[in-house]
Amino acid sequence: MTEALKTTEPAAVAEPGAMAEAGEAAAAAGPGAALWVDPGNGAAGDMLLAALLDAGASLAAVQQGVARLAVEPVALELESVRRHGLRATRLIVTAPDSGTHRDLAAVTAIIARAALPPAVHTFAVSAFNTLARAEARVHGVPLADIHFHEVGALDAVVDLVGCALALADLGLLDAPTRVVGPVAVGSGTVRTGHGPMPVPVPAVLEILAGAGAPIAAHPAAMELCTPSGAALLATIATGWGPPPALVPHSVGVGAGTKDPPGHPNILRVLVGTSAGRDADGTPWLGEPLHRVDTTIDDVDPRVWPDLLEQLRAVGAADAWCTPVLMRKGRPGQLLSVLTAPAQLDLVCRLVFTYTGTLGVRVSTVQRRRLRRDQIALPYGDAAVRVKRGYLGDRLVSVQPEYDDALAVAQRADVPVARVLDEVRAEARGAGPPAQAGPLSEATTA
């Protein structure tokens, strides 16, 4: 999928203006945005990013975010192509040859220094962790010791971070309905930096098995799903299967580089709005999570803030500590973490590594949460982000970001309580968020 191959049909450069207009339509979904990904002909990072851009994500927003990464200069272009008579968008990534083999720590440090929106940072780091954990398992080395080209390659950095930026631009990073269909993986053999490997390559199987992803049969004797594509699908998916109940707003079709004779080398995405209620008719969203608990009485208390932040950074839905009284009257802490199944193993590994506990308790819980969006409201010469929660179609929660409110209050020399009250009142009457680049954080939550 990553080898260059010319198409025999005429190609034209996609119009950025058309992409922006499609993005505005997709963003109009507001709260309850939903996504369906169709990898029935395979998945690679560049195909998924191209599909998201074709569905309306802003190419300029992705370019701006990628430009923040402290890596070699990278150029992104879109090209309109045909695959078996179907129109699709192909992403062309132009990057210099690099001899740098970055490990996971180096890649996550690059992402952290880029000062991307928190939700974009969390998604990208989680996807890289998923990829690196799989590679570490199949090669039989500790996670901290892996040094290999695949994780550090510029195309993988662009694909994973670019997809996070595109999802944020479409308002999908916080969408509770992100369903991925059965994944076609292919068969045969492929050449890698470690020599010939069977298809699907071991890392792909490791990732998909860990995520509980269904695999689809496919006649193609070639690599259809790459490790970066599998890592992105596993990070995106809140569920697996056919399209969920939604009102579609835009369709994106991303093309792979190869144009094999036996099938259309494309990946499709469907962006829309969920119904006002969950599948069982309730006005909130339900999702299964795992809760990891352990009680500890011998950890330096200065460790807790960093550990809680690290757990959230790798994709935990929440993490907290509760004071408890342990045996013989010793004071201790109950560490609790909520996580999706895809991040359960990583969360357990972090807890064991950084607390020294000898055991954790894992239980399944059902979380109910409101659909929500986030808007940015101007105040003076700055802006305040506001999260809004909806019970069905009714707005019931309006929460301005306190740090934003405090900053504008200090600049305007007014009480922060006044800013909070004024912004909250304005947010109640505001419509859905306007399309904005992910660096404004206007569509992330």
Side-chain angles (χ1 to χ4, degrees):
M1 285 190 180
T2 56
E3 296 178 8
L5 182 67
K6 289 185 178 180
T7 61
T8 57
E9 301 178 23
V13 176
E15 293 292 336
M19 294 291 174
E21 292 174 4
E24 290 172 6
L35 171 70
W36 181 62
V37 181
D38 175 17
N41 284 298
D46 60 337
M47 294 172 68
L48 179 58
L49 179 51
L52 292 169
L53 290 166
D54 191 53
S58 166
L59 175 61
V62 173
Q63 290 171 324
Q64 292 167 11
V66 170
R68 290 184 173 224
L69 301 170
V71 296
E72 297 85 344
V74 176
L76 305 178
E77 298 179 74
L78 295 179
E79 179 184 38
S80 181
V81 298
R82 295 183 189 278
R83 295 290 183 262
H84 281 236
L86 301 175
R87 181 209 61 82
T89 294
R90 177 189 166 208
L91 177 69
I92 303 173
V93 179
T94 304
D97 291 335
S98 174
T100 303
H101 288 200
R102 301 178 176 94
D103 60 12
L104 178 63
V107 171
T108 53
I110 288 170
I111 297 172
R113 288 196 297 269
L116 299 169
V120 172
H121 172 271
T122 297
F123 181 95
V125 169
S126 180
F128 265 109
N129 271 287
T130 297
L131 176 58
R133 290 199 315 276
E135 295 286 359
R137 287 195 189 106
V138 300
H139 294 296
V141 298
L143 183 64
D145 292 348
I146 58 171
H147 293 78
F148 53 96
H149 181 65
E150 283 79 3
V151 165
L154 278 177
D155 56 353
V157 175
V158 171
D159 291 345
L160 272 63
V161 175
C163 283
L165 291 161
L167 287 165
D169 196 67
L170 291 169
L172 291 166
L173 274 185
D174 191 53
T177 304
R178 299 195 305 251
V179 179
V180 178
V183 185
V185 293
S187 60
T189 60
V190 65
R191 288 191 175 277
T192 73
H194 302 281
M197 282 196 179
V199 173
V201 297
V204 167
L205 287 181
E206 186 74 31
I207 292 169
L208 297 180
I215 293 177
H218 198 284
M222 59 181 288
E223 182 184 25
L224 295 179
C225 185
T226 66
S228 61
L232 283 165
L233 296 180
T235 307
I236 286 172
T238 61
W240 303 90
L246 56 79
V247 178
H249 293 282
S250 64
V251 178
V253 184
T257 302
K258 291 183 177 180
D259 189 13
H263 71 279
N265 190 16
I266 59 172
L267 179 149
R268 299 184 300 166
V269 299
L270 181 63
V271 179
T273 308
S274 296
R277 296 173 180 267
D278 206 356
D280 61 0
T282 56
W284 47 71
L285 297 158
E287 55 186 327
L289 295 175
H290 291 304
R291 174 169 168 166
V292 179
D293 292 300
T294 185
T295 47
I296 305 166
D297 64 359
D298 57 356
V299 170
D300 186 327
R302 293 171 294 184
V303 170
W304 288 117
D306 291 335
L307 175 57
L308 295 175
E309 184 59 34
Q310 189 171 5
L311 288 165
R312 298 186 189 103
V314 300
D318 202 359
W320 67 95
C321 286
T322 307
V324 294
L325 197 63
M326 300 179 65
R327 288 183 296 177
K328 299 182 179 179
R330 295 195 306 270
Q333 296 286 338
L334 171 62
L335 171 64
S336 301
V337 188
L338 286 180
T339 180
Q343 279 75 46
L344 177 61
D345 287 347
L346 178 58
V347 165
C348 291
R349 187 182 298 274
L350 286 175
V351 172
F352 282 126
T353 300
Y354 291 99
T355 68
T357 186
L358 296 176
V360 299
R361 300 176 295 279
V362 179
S363 55
T364 300
V365 298
Q366 184 73 17
R367 179 170 70 165
R368 294 179 177 180
R369 64 171 178 162
L370 300 180
R371 290 183 175 85
R372 52 182 171 169
D373 65 10
Q374 180 166 285
I375 58 175
L377 297 178
Y379 195 102
D381 58 354
V384 178
R385 292 166 296 170
V386 185
K387 290 180 182 177
R388 302 184 298 183
Y390 298 79
L391 184 64
D393 298 323
R394 183 164 59 93
L395 179 64
V396 295
S397 175
V398 178
Q399 296 295 336
E401 292 287 348
Y402 183 82
D403 288 345
D404 291 358
L406 180 61
V408 300
Q410 291 173 339
R411 182 176 296 187
D413 194 23
V414 297
V416 66
R418 172 180 163 185
V419 175
L420 291 170
D421 289 342
E422 292 177 356
V423 170
R424 190 177 288 112
E426 185 177 352
R428 289 188 179 278
Q435 180 72 0
L439 299 182
S440 71
E441 298 189 18
T443 57
T444 63

